[in-house]
Amino acid sequence: MITTRRYLGQVDRRSRFTTVSMGWRTASDGVPRLRAAVTLAGEQGGPAKQPVAMTWAPGDGAVVMTATLPETAVRSWTENVIATEQLGVLDDPVLAVVGSAGVLDDLEGSLSEREARVPPSPHPTVRSTMTQTTAQGFEQTFVTGRDPAEDVGFAATFLAICLVAGGPGTLLPDAIEKSGHRAILQAGRGLQGSTPTVTWHIMTSRPNGSAVLETALSTVAGYSVAEHPEAVEQAREFARTNLNRAWQSPIELARSLAHYEVMGWGGELVRHPDAALDHVDSAAIEKAAEGLVRPIKEVLGRS
């Protein structure tokens, strides 16, 4: 029996092919090694067991491979690739498979999740950091710290991002505009040393990045989520729309499942977006919002 870090299977009958996605946490310089190992492992099954298409999508600290396979090739090809990583060529991947129930049942019989046998190792500590650069009259400020999703929940964190930094018309962009700061603020998520992180990026036309951070921190601290039900519902619908985009095709669904899981954002969010989002209450969203700005609080010495 072969093992994976995490397995997500979804029945989908829109295609006669099966889509298999695998995600690894690795820096960009590790991608060529991954591609070579996957190609070599896949060739062991012969021409009839090869993918009809394959794509690679590097991200911020991870890479996702997505392969489209005939149903008869899924099990042997997937076993070959994962067996190769178990020999030490690759790290444990997350695995997402979208296809018929018969294929998923057959594949699941040969898989077991690594967490069921080995306790998960603790994430390395990520110290919150701030860097500032100035170029062509613009100051850029970056604040990076640990993503709170593992502590407060995947759905709550996703909703909190949509509520406080989802774009124009959301809490922090509005607060910064009203404060008079000529600045753009964005929140991004990535990996640092295989640990999920959140990064706040501020671009200003004059050196006032720290003042913008102060505004962001005080805005979240003074915001009661329970007192703004309309904003919460708007964020919930925005989050739902984003997650439902993954269901446009079996290929996009498999890729999104693997991407969210390997990044530490929760693949189950993609598989069951309505159920995940509808059960998050105001208290959980508020706790997640506080976790998102904790790196700002720490670099400003407010902790």
Side-chain angles (χ1 to χ4, degrees), residues 112-160:
S112 68
E113 293 180 11
R114 181 166 61 93
E115 287 85 351
R117 303 188 305 118
V118 181
S121 57
H123 288 303
T125 300
V126 174
R127 186 172 64 89
S128 297
T129 59
M130 179 172 69
T131 59
Q132 290 181 313
T133 61
T134 303
Q136 298 180 339
F138 288 91
E139 180 189 76
Q140 293 195 75
T141 303
F142 297 89
V143 175
T144 298
R146 189 166 178 267
D147 191 304
E150 189 173 79
D151 299 323
V152 302
F154 300 120
T157 302
F158 195 74
L159 276 171

